[in-house]
Amino acid sequence: MYLSRFKRTLCRIGVALPLALALVVPRPAFAETLADALVGAYERSGLLEQNRALLRAADEDVASAKSALKPVLRWAGGLTQSFGSTRTSSLVSSQSTASLTASINLIGELLLYDFGASQYRVEATKETVLATRQTLLDLEQQVLLRAVAAYMGVIEASDVVALRNNNLRLLTQELRAARDRFDVGEVTNTDVAIAEAQLAEARSGLAGAEGALLRAVEEYRNVVGRTPSNLTPPPQLPNVSGNLEAAKALAVRRHPAVLAAQHQVAAARLAVSSNESAMSPRITLQGNYGLSETFDSKRYSRSGSVGVEAGQTIYQGGALSSAVRRAMAQEDAQRANLHVVSREVAQEVGNAYASLSSTRAQLEASDRQIRAARTAFEGVREEAKLGARTTLDVLDAEQVLLDAESTRVTARANLYIAAYAVLASTGQLTARDLGLPVQLYDAAAYYNLVKDGPAKYSKQGQALDRVLRALQKN
């Protein structure tokens, strides 16, 4: 399968880039492969770190929703200063009274039955967690595809600089030859001026290519997290399936964006059930134990109670019914979104295959163009030595050859980007699918620690604290 082949070939070391790249970045002691770039992007992406944190926040929503099904225990205390005066008759002086009373109460409450409203909310948050996991995978694909583009961008820009340098050397030679022929009267001053103009244009083109290389290096540093160093030619292209319809069917089944939309539909459907159940009665178990004592007195009291309470909201200004209708509308929206996402994913597959096919054809055509242009250039240059061609003819032929070689460099970079875009469009451009040598982020590990809402000082809570400290250090 092409994924296993890609895994074997990613780490092959190829021939080093032209010397032009070494003028921009420090020369390293080792060669950097496409696999190294993908690993760097996976491990250093701030976008992935951000959305991993958002996933952990979604995990906590499950614990929060589950808390509605667990006992609630709280305490309340107070200190009351009472004062006043009493008088039994108008002939008897009044008597002042004052007391200071302290009280503390322990209150417990447990939901016994609410017709599934709380459980539906729990299941809805679980579906939201699953949707967030798939969104994280989709972002992972985007990060890795951008890393491929950054890698090929540096290679392309470096090769163009090398071509421009070579063109500059050739034009310098042509200018020298034109001046020599002018000295012996074979050409006019116009030919020399044309050669000088072409050389100036070549210097301008080289400056632009070097600027493009610097920008490509900055993009690579941003995406991969380090400066590119001695990038090797990329490995063999992944063996992408040639069956477009099968690829579209695969993408609709397994693309993270589609799976995320499916979980969002499920969450919206559960939210409807939860809001409908919220209109039903609630049955709770309540308990209370309190202690009250008056200072400067022997009076005190202890009391407790346990009871079952049932209640239901009969009317709340239409808020409950509105919440149900709102949840239904959101479910309709999520279903429509699933339809839109599925069609967009299928379209992306078609676009990726079209881009791959056209780029491959462009690359093959540029190879033929280079062979023909090189033959033409060599012939024109020889004819110019015999006086059958002008200096302008030679320079034009050289420009055609340069354009053909530049087109091939660009087509080669675009071919690799298009091939990996096909993998991304079908949901197969993840670190796991590519077999990258990285510590894969375990999306379920944090969820398993927090899903039951562990107490802070419990064994599980202390383990969670260690995980959080490790995440903050990273």
Side-chain angles (χ1 to χ4, degrees):
M1 190 175 179
Y2 69 84
L3 289 179
S4 60
R5 185 186 308 166
F6 173 71
K7 182 178 178 181
R8 292 195 302 270
T9 57
L10 261 180
C11 297
R12 293 178 185 170
I13 298 177
V15 180
L17 285 174
L19 181 61
L21 182 59
L23 299 176
V24 181
V25 296
R27 187 170 184 81
F30 63 91
E32 189 169 351
T33 66
L34 178 57
D36 297 327
L38 293 174
V39 168
Y42 182 83
E43 293 180 339
R44 298 181 178 90
S45 171
L47 182 62
L48 290 181
E49 287 299 323
Q50 174 194 5
N51 284 272
R52 287 165 184 167
L54 292 176
L55 174 58
R56 294 195 295 273
D59 293 340
E60 296 290 354
D61 289 339
V62 176
S64 178
K66 281 187 173 182
S67 66
L69 300 172
K70 297 178 180 180
V72 177
L73 188 64
R74 64 182 185 274
W75 65 269
L79 192 64
T80 304
Q81 174 69 57
S82 301
F83 53 88
S85 61
T86 60
R87 188 172 62 178
T88 57
S89 67
S90 59
L91 300 178
V92 180
S93 61
S94 62
Q95 180 180 2
S96 299
T97 60
S99 64
L100 181 63
T101 304
S103 63
I104 186 168
N105 291 272
L106 189 64
I107 306 159
E109 183 177 325
L110 175 64
L111 176 66
L112 296 179
Y113 190 64
D114 65 350
F115 290 86
S118 298
Q119 187 60 47
Y120 284 134
R121 281 192 289 271
V122 171
E123 297 303 320
T125 54
K126 288 181 179 179
E127 292 292 339
T128 301
V129 167
L130 295 176
T132 309
R133 290 182 187 179
Q134 294 300 325
T135 300
L136 179 60
L137 281 178
D138 194 20
L139 289 171
E140 180 181 319
Q141 290 200 134
Q142 296 175 29
V143 167
L144 294 180
L145 182 59
R146 187 177 176 185
V148 172
Y151 188 93
M152 295 308 304
V154 173
I155 290 180
E156 176 190 357
S158 178
D159 287 347
V160 170
V161 168
L163 288 174
R164 291 285 182 180
N165 272 315
N166 184 60
N167 180 58
L168 186 63
R169 287 192 297 271
L170 289 175
L171 291 177
T172 301
Q173 294 173 4
E174 291 297 332
L175 175 60
R176 187 181 300 114
R179 286 172 175 170
D180 291 341
R181 290 196 297 273
F182 174 75
D183 291 338
V184 298
E186 292 182 0
V187 297
T188 67
N189 192 45
T190 303
D191 295 280
V192 176
I194 291 173
E196 290 175 343
Q198 289 289 91
L199 182 60
E201 183 181 356
R203 290 196 177 107
S204 175
L206 176 60
E210 289 174 342
L213 177 56
L214 290 173
R215 290 191 295 272
V217 168
E218 290 301 324
E219 170 69 5
Y220 187 96
R221 184 184 292 115
N222 180 33
V223 175
V224 180
R226 59 174 178 269
T227 302
S229 302
N230 195 21
L231 303 188
T232 66
Q236 181 181 356
L237 283 171
N239 185 18
V240 179
S241 171
N243 191 329
L244 176 58
E245 294 305 318
K248 287 184 177 181
L250 175 65
V252 172
R253 288 197 311 270
R254 64 163 292 176
H255 196 282
V258 175
L259 298 180
Q262 290 174 349
H263 288 300
Q264 289 166 352
V265 170
R269 182 171 58 249
L270 289 165
V272 173
S273 300
S274 176
N275 281 281
E276 289 176 341
S277 299
M279 302 177 71
S280 303
R282 286 170 52 93
I283 302 175
T284 58
L285 175 66
Q286 295 181 338
N288 179 73
Y289 181 78
L291 171 64
S292 176
E293 183 170 349
T294 302
F295 295 98
D296 298 331
S297 174
K298 295 182 179 180
R299 291 181 298 166
Y300 72 91
S301 65
R302 294 185 177 89
S303 61
S305 64
V306 177
V308 176
E309 181 178 307
Q312 179 182 8
T313 301
I314 298 175
Y315 180 70
Q316 195 178 348
L320 296 177
S321 299
S322 177
V324 173
R325 293 191 299 272
R326 179 176 181 272
M328 288 179 174
Q330 288 179 332
E331 182 185 5
D332 293 339
Q334 293 299 338
R335 288 186 184 279
N337 179 63
L338 175 58
H339 180 69
V340 170
V341 170
S342 298
R343 296 186 63 175
E344 287 180 347
V345 165
Q347 180 184 358
E348 284 300 318
V349 174
N351 291 344
Y353 268 84
S355 178
L356 178 62
S357 177
S358 63
T359 306
R360 183 177 284 127
Q362 185 180 16
L363 184 60
E364 294 173 355
S366 65
D367 286 336
R368 294 190 296 269
Q369 183 183 7
I370 288 174
R371 289 193 296 269
R374 182 173 291 112
T375 301
F377 169 66
E378 292 172 353
V380 169
R381 186 165 56 177
E382 291 300 321
E383 293 172 1
K385 292 178 181 179
L386 300 175
R389 293 282 186 172
T390 65
T391 301
L392 180 59
D393 294 330
V394 176
L395 296 177
D396 287 342
E398 164 63 13
Q399 185 63 45
V400 171
L401 178 59
L402 174 64
D403 292 341
E405 291 175 335
S406 299
T407 299
R408 187 186 187 284
V409 168
T410 301
R412 179 170 171 265
N414 290 340
L415 180 63
Y416 274 88
I417 296 172
Y420 288 106
V422 170
L423 294 183
S425 68
T426 54
Q428 300 176 87
L429 191 62
T430 65
R432 185 183 301 277
D433 289 323
L434 298 178
L436 295 181
V438 295
Q439 180 64 44
L440 295 175
Y441 183 76
D442 189 352
Y446 188 85
Y447 173 82
N448 292 333
L449 284 174
V450 304
K451 64 181 180 179
D452 294 320
K456 181 175 178 60
Y457 298 106
S458 66
K459 182 178 180 180
Q460 191 174 6
Q462 293 173 354
L464 180 58
D465 286 340
R466 289 193 294 270
V467 171
L468 290 173
R469 286 193 296 269
L471 289 171
Q472 290 171 351
K473 289 179 181 178
N474 292 334

